[in-house]
Amino acid sequence: MTTRTQTHFTPIDPDLYAKAFQLLDPTPEPAAPAAPAPAPVTLAPPPVHMAGPVEKTLTDALAFLDTHGWAKHRLIHPEGARCSIGALRAAAGTRNAAYRDAGTLLLAEARRQHGKQWEAIPAWNDSHTGAQVRGVWEAAIRRAHHLNI
């Protein structure tokens, strides 16, 4: 007996095998030439902040305190440390307008943070810790920067 088998093959997509083999062995196809990259945009550098004379005096005075040390109850300690007024004098060099304005701003910040009873920087300086004094210095510098003075 002979069995007849009808074979009806379904037609296939001719690209199907190519796609299957590409998935099994991915080789990059040559890419179309890329469009030229746009020219880099040159941005102008941001404006450089020029510290005003008060900000510079305060910043220099705090740097002096960081370098030489902070003192209480005396303008200049024998080992070189200074109180806040001593640091302002060292930074300003002379008792000029920047020195006076920096002192005024420092005292205003001290009064803002520690109470209105402070009449002068030396009394305030001598009644607080180094961390408290530094915090006032830093706030005064930020304020001078913000005011651009």
Side-chain angles (χ1 to χ4, degrees), residues 91-124:
T94 63
R95 293 185 189 184
N96 56 20
Y99 165 80
R100 286 187 301 276
D101 292 345
T104 300
L105 187 63
L106 185 65
L107 182 59
E109 187 59 34
R111 294 179 82 200
R112 189 187 72 73
Q113 287 188 30
H114 298 217
K116 303 281 185 208
Q117 74 271 19
W118 304 109
E119 297 295 325
I121 292 173
W124 161 77

Side-chain angles (χ1 to χ4, degrees), residues 3-11:
T3 308
R4 290 187 168 193
T5 308
Q6 296 271 342
T7 55
H8 296 289
F9 293 105
T10 306

Side-chain angles (χ1 to χ4, degrees), residues 33-105:
V41 176
T42 304
L43 298 176
V48 176
H49 171 73
M50 298 298 292
V54 173
E55 180 184 358
K56 182 173 179 352
T57 300
L58 289 167
T59 302
D60 290 350
L62 184 57
F64 187 93
L65 290 174
D66 287 341
T67 303
H68 299 286
W70 170 72
K72 282 185 172 189
H73 308 295
R74 54 179 33 169
L75 187 65
I76 303 172
H77 190 274
E79 294 176 10
R82 295 193 180 207
C83 71
S84 292
I85 287 291
L88 273 175
R89 288 181 185 170
T94 63
R95 293 185 189 184
N96 56 20
Y99 165 80
R100 286 187 301 276
D101 292 345
T104 300
L105 187 63

